[in-house]
Amino acid sequence: MLYSELCNALEKIEKNSMQNYKIKILSELLAKSHEEEIETIVMLCLANVFPVDTQKELGISSHIIAQTISKAFNISKKTVIDDWTKSGDLGTTAMNLCNMRTQTTLFTSAITIRKVFFTLQKFADIDGTKAQGKKIDFLTELLSSADKTEAKFLMRTVIGQLRIGISEGLIKEAIQSAFYSRIYWKSLLTQKRNEKKVFEDILNEKDKKILIEPSIAEFLGKKNKEQFDLFLDANDIKTTTKETIEKTLKKSGFFSKSNNIDLCLVDDVDFGNKLKSTVSDKINHAYQVTNNLALIAKTSQKEGEPGLDKLKMRLFCPIKVMLAQKAKSFEDALEGVGTPAAIEYKYDGIRMQIHKQDDKIQIYTRMLENVTKQFPELAETIMTNVKCDNCVIEGETVGIDRHTGKYIPFQYISRRIKRKYDIDKLVKEIPVVMHIFDITYFEGKSCLNTPFCQRRKIIEKIITPDKCIVLANQITTSSVDEAKSFYNKALEDKQEGVMIKNQNALYVPGSRVGTMLKLKPILDTLDLAIVGAEYGEGKRKGYLSSFLLACRNEQTGDFLVVGKLGTGLKEKEEQGTTFKEISDLIKDDIMTQTNRSVLVSPKIVVEVAFEEIQKSTNYNSGFALRFPRFICLRPDRSINDINTLSDLKKIFQNN
Ligand code: AMP
């Protein structure tokens, strides 16, 4: 497929905020994708060039991208930076400046999706002193042949953010719509006038096989209401009953690609939901166990439902972790999860998912980044002290003060995630202990559908505690008093609070579930991205300070400012994270400087405490944090993981 075809679809999605329209465009794109390209297309729609669990990165700073635009279009870097300052996005800048390209740099050869994908994939293997130069050359070649829209999306792909609101949920819907019968129901029509238009457009599509309930036909002004129990052509709308719709779908293999039915228009929400969720449940499940939408799209295209059923959790393909909801009180929590509940320490460390098969161990963070090399002592201990042929265990790894033996806060151990050199030295300096609290795979089978109390029994059986790995401290109780004293003990032990878990709960990857709750004393913290700063004065001279913090608008992908951060950062290294450390981290991503202020492409995530959230017209989020205070850098979280505008709205409304 030509890259322009993908980019034109992305452009349409950017210009229209209606979810159904976005799904329609994406599903059309997937439906016409070639078998060998569909995975690439899905990945590019999510601005991914490498699978999530690989350590690979493009390794390009915003300034290198700006330099590439300047070189490819043969214009000055200043012109690029000036436009970037105005647009705030290098993709938009590439688009804006595309027409200034001079004849010498103008290529006419069309770029294909494969060419883009494989060129970018090569970046991960380019290193050495000339690496940046080579990357600029490769990118320049692509950019020189790109039209405006291609230039915009190419640059955004390199940055890792398309900024057009394509979520994983949207891709799942598009896969469903492209490869399985589409189900619509009437309330969708009556709620919004535009939806009716969508329906009418569908009915005008050629060569579609449609099942439709009589009342819908009437609603849409179609006169012909004959009973009909076979597939129908969209040009000849006829109707059939609920029972026949269900029977026909089942008979023809509801999920198989060749079921011959393109869509069903039904009357009520319940029936529509029932039909639709039969398909979406399968897709969701496949996503939970594979964490790979590209694979799901390919499987759906090739094999339909039977293919989805065959997708299973696999060792060394990490899954998304299950997340907890917040509890207000012990009373609420115990009532919420049901008693007796399992209560565990909530450790303040790095969440890890460890895959083991015979003598192979791989360690992944919550972001599914592979950190095996950084934690050699853990890998070694898991090898000897976890007795089974294969498993996936989960836990929280906490740092220990080597002099006192006491737990240390997250910010110290976070240094171990990013460290790529002198690892042995750091192993000695910051020893760790992993508190194992779950198992999701055991002896060749997934345990996602095994109740939590049984999963705990398995880890109790196979793990021999050692200085490096122990089981999470747990009690089971129905008593609020007992729960409270356990919580106090956790706080005395310098941990964050407790987790309260339903004993029969299944493991739901990637979901924030009501069967696992967290309770901690301090006011909640937010994970936010740094998008700007000001050069400091006095002791902070030469460094950036007063960092602009932003949350993410999950609809548009934009970063919206919520406040400025200065408190909590230090001047001296031995005191904690310094202004210098953050300045060094962001200096390559400074987009623009006006007097003392700089704007930065979002890349660095920080955890921040605050007193309250207020409405504010000072910032484009519409909110401002009162007294934000730096807690720590979050190298284990990506900018896609930060708190969203809706999170802020929720916190604001609850206070
Ligand atoms: P939060 O990051 O505040 O949403 O809290 C949830 C996190 O607590 C999980 O993602 C884990 O990393 C961490 N955690 C610490 N101890 C436990 C435990 N015993 N069970 C589950 N999660 C835990």
Side-chain angles (χ1 to χ4, degrees):
M1 184 185 281
L2 288 178
Y3 189 50
S4 58
E5 203 169 336
L6 169 67
C7 292
N8 291 339
L10 298 177
E11 179 77 0
K12 283 187 193 159
I13 288 171
E14 182 170 26
K15 291 213 166 111
N16 195 313
S17 61
M18 262 179 63
Q19 289 294 95
N20 274 345
Y21 180 78
K22 291 184 179 189
I23 294 168
K24 181 172 180 280
I25 299 296
L26 269 183
S27 82
E28 282 168 5
L29 186 74
L30 295 180
K32 67 180 169 201
S33 303
H34 192 272
E35 207 180 304
E36 275 158 20
E37 283 181 337
I38 190 162
E39 286 181 288
T40 308
I41 290 169
V42 171
M43 286 176 77
L44 289 176
C45 283
L46 289 164
N48 289 340
V49 180
F50 307 108
V52 269
D53 54 319
T54 59
Q55 286 281 63
K56 296 185 174 176
E57 284 174 3
L58 288 174
I60 294 190
S61 71
S62 302
H63 273 276
I64 298 291
I65 299 174
Q67 206 170 318
T68 310
I69 299 174
S70 143
K71 187 170 172 199
F73 296 168
N74 203 11
I75 50 180
S76 74
K77 189 158 174 206
K78 183 178 178 308
T79 312
V80 178
I81 302 280
D82 285 350
D83 193 276
W84 185 20
T85 310
K86 277 189 231 128
S87 72
D89 162 47
L90 279 167
T92 308
T93 290
M95 178 180 75
N96 291 345
L97 302 180
C98 210
N99 288 343
M100 289 173 72
R101 196 162 32 185
T102 57
Q103 207 54 43
T104 48
T105 60
L106 190 68
F107 282 74
T108 45
S109 67
I111 331 170
T112 61
I113 280 171
R114 282 167 153 270
K115 168 119 186 175
V116 170
F117 194 67
F118 292 117
T119 305
L120 295 181
Q121 281 215 323
K122 274 194 279 191
F123 282 28
D125 302 320
I126 304 177
D127 51 18
T129 46
K130 300 211 173 111
Q132 292 299 13
K134 283 188 201 152
K135 287 179 189 175
I136 292 177
D137 288 346
F138 280 132
L139 256 189
T140 304
E141 191 199 325
L142 281 179
L143 199 54
S144 305
S145 313
D147 69 15
K148 271 161 70 163
T149 317
E150 289 170 318
K152 173 168 75 178
F153 288 113
L154 179 62
M155 292 301 103
R156 289 187 183 172
T157 304
V158 176
I159 294 164
Q161 293 273 328
L162 291 188
R163 302 167 68 129
I164 55 175
I166 297 187
S167 62
E168 286 158 355
L170 203 78
I171 303 254
K172 283 194 258 177
E173 293 260 10
I175 294 174
Q176 173 159 2
S177 171
F179 304 117
Y180 303 94
S181 309
R182 282 181 279 158
I183 316 288
Y184 292 92
W185 52 92
K186 189 170 152 199
S187 63
L188 280 178
L189 298 179
T190 46
Q191 272 164 17
K192 293 183 196 158
R193 282 185 60 232
N194 281 346
E195 300 279 9
K196 184 167 180 176
K197 171 101 178 43
V198 171
F199 253 63
E200 281 164 353
D201 288 349
I202 291 168
L203 293 183
N204 287 331
E205 287 177 37
K206 295 258 179 312
D207 303 325
K208 289 274 182 271
K209 300 291 181 195
I210 299 179
L211 295 179
I212 183 165
E213 270 197 272
S215 50
I216 297 285
E218 204 171 339
F219 175 77
L220 291 171
K222 306 285 172 195
K223 293 283 176 275
N224 195 341
K225 286 186 281 166
E226 282 169 47
Q227 292 288 309
F228 209 86
D229 53 14
L230 267 180
F231 319 127
L232 305 160
D233 194 286
N235 297 324
D236 182 20
I237 303 297
K238 289 177 186 169
T239 60
T240 185
T241 61
K242 260 191 188 56
E243 292 70 30
T244 312
I245 287 180
E246 209 168 354
K247 216 168 76 194
T248 315
L249 283 172
K250 275 191 185 148
K251 198 172 69 188
S252 66
F254 189 52
F255 298 109
S256 59
K257 189 192 159 209
S258 55
N259 67 13
N260 287 327
I261 302 166
D262 293 294
L263 59 130
C264 281
L265 308 188
V266 300
D267 202 342
D268 63 286
V269 182
D270 290 344
F271 184 52
N273 260 330
K274 183 177 148 199
L275 294 177
K276 191 168 178 186
S277 64
T278 327
V279 193
S280 56
D281 286 355
K282 295 249 172 190
I283 293 178
N284 277 333
H285 179 261
Y287 186 48
Q288 285 173 355
V289 295
T290 62
N291 191 26
N292 187 336
L293 286 172
L295 175 67
I296 291 170
K298 186 174 177 175
T299 308
S300 295
Q301 184 191 48
K302 212 168 149 203
E303 300 171 68
E305 179 215 1
L308 286 186
D309 285 341
K310 277 189 249 152
L311 294 178
K312 299 268 177 324
M313 196 175 155
R314 284 191 300 144
L315 284 163
F316 309 110
C317 296
I319 56 168
K320 290 201 165 140
V321 296
M322 181 164 86
L323 299 166
Q325 289 180 10
K326 249 186 280 171
K328 285 203 184 87
S329 65
F330 279 101
E331 287 77 4
D332 279 0
L334 289 181
E335 201 188 316
V337 302
T339 51
I343 307 192
E344 295 175 357
Y345 272 24
K346 182 179 190 314
Y347 299 96
D348 180 17
I350 305 168
R351 186 161 184 171
M352 284 183 178
Q353 181 183 144
I354 304 194
H355 292 228
K356 165 183 152 67
Q357 180 169 41
D358 304 323
D359 55 0
K360 182 174 173 195
I361 307 274
Q362 296 289 307
I363 306 176
Y364 305 93
T365 62
R366 172 185 161 142
M367 267 164 68
L368 312 185
E369 190 184 354
N370 192 326
V371 290
T372 316
K373 284 204 184 88
Q374 289 93 308
F375 294 89
E377 78 278 39
L378 262 184
E380 215 172 283
T381 313
I382 300 280
M383 195 97 82
T384 51
N385 290 37
V386 179
K387 292 274 174 276
C388 63
D389 291 337
N390 54 62
C391 67
V392 176
I393 50 175
E394 246 191 74
E396 190 86 356
T397 296
V398 186
I400 302 284
D401 183 316
R402 67 192 159 127
H403 303 297
T404 63
K406 295 212 163 125
Y407 294 125
I408 52 174
F410 170 81
Q411 53 261 47
Y412 299 101
I413 174 188
S414 73
R415 283 173 55 207
R416 288 203 50 183
I417 305 179
K418 288 283 156 195
R419 184 64 80 91
K420 303 272 155 65
Y421 57 92
D422 275 352
I423 287 176
D424 290 345
K425 193 167 154 234
L426 216 58
V427 168
K428 288 200 191 93
E429 263 172 39
I430 310 174
V432 295
V433 55
M434 178 175 180
H435 299 266
I436 295 164
F437 55 71
D438 220 326
I439 183 160
T440 50
Y441 189 90
F442 180 56
E443 301 296 33
K445 286 199 193 105
S446 147
C447 329
L448 298 178
N449 291 331
T450 307
F452 175 62
C453 56
Q454 287 178 31
R455 301 204 300 275
R456 170 79 189 191
K457 284 213 176 83
I458 302 176
I459 49 179
E460 283 171 1
K461 199 173 86 190
I462 62 172
I463 288 166
T464 314
D466 186 67
K467 63 179 190 327
C468 236
I469 58 163
V470 292
L471 289 175
N473 207 354
Q474 187 195 72
I475 57 166
T476 50
T477 184
S478 306
S479 144
V480 168
D481 287 344
E482 212 178 320
K484 278 185 184 161
S485 62
F486 188 69
Y487 169 80
N488 289 332
K489 217 162 132 264
L491 298 185
E492 274 165 34
D493 276 347
K494 299 269 176 278
Q495 294 309 323
E496 280 190 311
V498 289
M499 307 294 294
I500 300 140
K501 303 182 178 181
N502 175 320
Q503 298 231 64
N504 296 317
L506 311 182
Y507 192 102
V508 193
S511 292
R512 202 167 278 288
V513 293
T515 52
M516 174 164 91
L517 306 176
K518 54 185 177 186
L519 226 159
K520 51 184 185 176
I522 54 158
L523 198 61
D524 221 353
T525 57
L526 291 171
D527 292 332
L528 300 166
I530 294 181
V531 294
E534 271 168 35
Y535 276 101
E537 292 174 332
K539 279 193 227 156
R540 296 175 195 167
K541 195 161 174 244
Y543 302 128
L544 292 164
S545 62
S546 203
F547 297 99
L548 273 188
L549 300 172
C551 67
R552 206 166 55 87
N553 180 339
E554 63 275 41
Q555 302 294 336
T556 60
D558 287 342
F559 290 86
L560 304 172
V561 177
V562 296
K564 278 186 188 170
L565 175 75
T567 315
L569 285 156
K570 311 288 181 209
E571 261 105 39
K572 294 192 182 130
E573 206 181 319
E574 54 283 10
Q575 295 170 327
T577 307
T578 57
F579 288 97
K580 175 178 184 309
E581 190 175 342
I582 302 210
S583 305
D584 288 346
L585 283 172
I586 59 178
K587 69 173 188 291
D588 281 343
D589 292 295
I590 293 177
M591 299 192 261
T592 160
Q593 180 170 352
T594 330
N595 301 323
R596 309 185 66 77
S597 307
V598 297
L599 290 179
V600 183
S601 304
K603 199 162 93 186
I604 301 299
V605 179
V606 289
E607 186 177 338
V608 173
F610 56 95
E611 206 113 288
E612 66 174 319
I613 293 179
Q614 300 173 320
K615 283 244 178 216
S616 164
T617 48
N618 290 344
Y619 302 124
N620 58 358
S621 65
F623 292 106
L625 298 184
R626 229 165 87 84
F627 303 127
R629 181 167 48 85
F630 177 82
I631 301 287
C632 58
L633 283 166
R634 294 293 334 196
D636 59 330
R637 308 218 166 147
S638 85
I639 49 166
N640 296 323
D641 260 359
I642 64 171
N643 283 102
T644 59
L645 188 61
S646 352
D647 293 340
L648 268 88
K649 276 186 193 151
K650 251 188 240 152
I651 302 175
F652 176 76
Q653 277 155 9
N654 288 342
N655 285 329

